[in-house]
């Protein structure tokens, strides 16, 4: 069986070992339960939380994404909307960050597990 793409596994929120099992229980569109993760991969049984508190490190990834969104929003407002009043920045930036919170949360955890989880792809766990 051909090796599955790591980028597609990260983008799809898949397990880093088998790249098939979903890390999250619900769809991203399920707003109230977007953060619920499987304790282990439904396909290969890999425990996602490598050690207690493992995903606290994902907060740094989330912070980087949030800062990127903040700077991009400020850049767009300044350059394309003729530098509006301060209140526009104060209202727009938090609104955009709140709207993007579910994908930021998920992508941060997935990326952190794939980058720092110490788990490599193993084709014997793929279907």
């Amino acid at each position: 069986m051909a090796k599955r793409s790591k980028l597609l596994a990260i983008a799809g929120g898949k397990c880093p070992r088998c790249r098939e099992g979903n890390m999250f229980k619900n769809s991203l569109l399920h707003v109230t339960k977007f953060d619920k993760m499987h304790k282990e991969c439904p396909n290969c049984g890999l425990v996602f939380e490598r050690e207690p508190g493992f995903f606290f490190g994902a907060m740094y990834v989330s912070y980087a994404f949030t800062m990127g969104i903040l700077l991009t929003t400020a850049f767009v407002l300044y350059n394309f909307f003729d530098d509006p009043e301060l209140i526009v920045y104060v209202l727009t930036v938090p609104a955009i960050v709140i709207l993007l919170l579910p994908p930021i949360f998920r992508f941060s955890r997935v990326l952190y597990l794939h980058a720092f989880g110490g788990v490599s792809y193993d084709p014997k766990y793929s279907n």
Side-chain angles (χ1 to χ4, degrees):
M1 182 175 274
K3 183 176 179 179
R4 298 180 188 277
S5 166
K6 184 169 188 131
L7 288 176
L8 288 176
I10 291 171
K14 302 294 183 182
C15 170
R17 182 164 65 180
C18 67
R19 297 187 183 166
E20 291 182 6
N22 289 325
M23 287 180 57
F24 292 90
K25 293 180 180 181
N26 300 302
S27 164
L28 187 59
L29 300 175
H30 199 285
V31 179
T32 59
K33 295 184 181 179
F34 71 88
D35 61 333
K36 304 299 181 209
M37 289 184 70
H38 292 287
K39 291 200 183 297
E40 56 187 42
C41 177
N43 187 55
C44 70
L46 174 74
V47 176
F48 291 134
E49 190 166 5
R50 309 304 300 152
E51 59 189 32
F54 175 75
F55 287 113
F56 282 124
M59 290 188 304
Y60 294 104
V61 178
S62 177
Y63 176 75
F65 286 132
T66 303
M67 288 294 99
I69 291 167
L70 181 142
L71 293 172
T72 303
T73 304
F75 177 82
V76 168
L77 287 173
Y78 183 81
N79 289 306
F80 297 109
F81 292 94
D82 199 29
D83 191 19
E85 297 292 323
L86 179 62
I87 191 70
V88 175
Y89 289 96
V90 170
L91 295 175
T92 305
V93 172
I96 290 174
V97 169
I98 289 170
L99 286 174
L100 293 176
L101 178 68
I104 290 171
F105 176 88
R106 281 185 162 206
F107 192 65
S108 297
R109 282 191 170 212
V110 170
L111 192 61
Y112 192 75
L113 179 60
H114 277 264
F116 302 108
V119 181
S120 299
Y121 175 70
D122 192 345
K124 72 180 180 185
Y125 290 102
S126 298
N127 288 333

